[in-house]
């Protein structure tokens, strides 16, 4: 059973930065991708960014392009989300997700097999 543990969330002022981490354990075979999603109160969970594990391809939501960067450390089995120039509208619970094999677009929640518990990011104005 794959387990994902997020960390790095917190309270930051607008314009500030945070770095989220997601450590994966329990996987005995290679994955296809890992991604970050977020969910604000009263809204649906939305795609933020993803990275293809065997290559260097990355994907971003338009709302975070140029501000957020997803990266990975294969040796540590960890994915990161560097968030710069944060805005109040970035406030949400951020979830890490693991896609075992290609079974759909990285942009969709249903494509992912495992999810972390989430970490709160709050951006004050």
């Amino acid at each position: 059973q794959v387990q994902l543990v997020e960390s790095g969330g917190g309270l930051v002022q607008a314009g500030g930065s945070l770095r989220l981490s997601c450590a994966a354990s329990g996987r005995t075979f290679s994955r296809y991708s890992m991604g970050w999603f977020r969910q604000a109160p009263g809204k649906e969970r939305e795609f933020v960014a993803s990275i293809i594990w065997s290559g260097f391809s990355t994907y971003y939501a338009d709302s975070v392009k140029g501000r957020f960067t997803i990266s990975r450390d294969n040796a540590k089995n960890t994915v990161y989300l560097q968030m710069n120039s944060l805005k109040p509208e970035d406030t949400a619970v951020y979830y890490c997700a693991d896609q075992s094999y290609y079974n759909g677009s990285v942009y969709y929640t249903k494509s992912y097999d495992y999810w972390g518990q989430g970490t709160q990011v709050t951006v004050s104005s």
Side-chain angles (χ1 to χ4, degrees):
Q1 181 75 6
V2 174
Q3 293 185 326
L4 305 175
V5 179
E6 300 104 332
S7 60
L11 173 64
V12 64
Q13 288 188 333
S17 299
L18 282 174
R19 187 194 194 204
L20 305 183
S21 299
C22 174
S25 62
R27 175 170 289 281
T28 59
F29 56 92
S30 182
R31 65 174 57 81
Y32 177 71
S33 77
M34 290 190 76
W36 288 96
F37 288 73
R38 66 187 182 187
Q39 188 167 17
K43 295 188 177 182
E44 292 188 356
R45 193 169 297 189
E46 65 175 5
F47 172 79
V48 175
S50 71
I51 186 165
I52 306 303
W53 208 253
S54 62
F56 298 95
S57 296
T58 57
Y59 304 88
Y60 296 93
D62 288 342
S63 58
V64 307
K65 278 181 184 176
R67 300 189 297 122
F68 290 10
T69 303
I70 189 170
S71 62
R72 70 179 194 277
D73 184 329
N74 287 21
K76 294 183 178 180
N77 225 8
T78 298
V79 66
Y80 305 96
L81 186 68
Q82 177 66 44
M83 305 186 295
N84 299 328
S85 302
L86 283 161
K87 304 175 181 180
E89 51 263 44
D90 294 318
T91 295
V93 177
Y94 283 70
Y95 296 91
C96 171
D98 182 299
Q99 184 181 23
S100 299
Y101 57 92
Y102 183 78
N103 60 351
S105 170
V106 298
Y107 293 96
Y108 303 138
T109 58
K110 64 180 181 180
S111 299
Y112 294 83
D113 306 291
Y114 303 98
W115 292 84
Q117 81 288 352
T119 185
Q120 177 71 46
V121 171
T122 303
V123 184
S124 62
S125 57

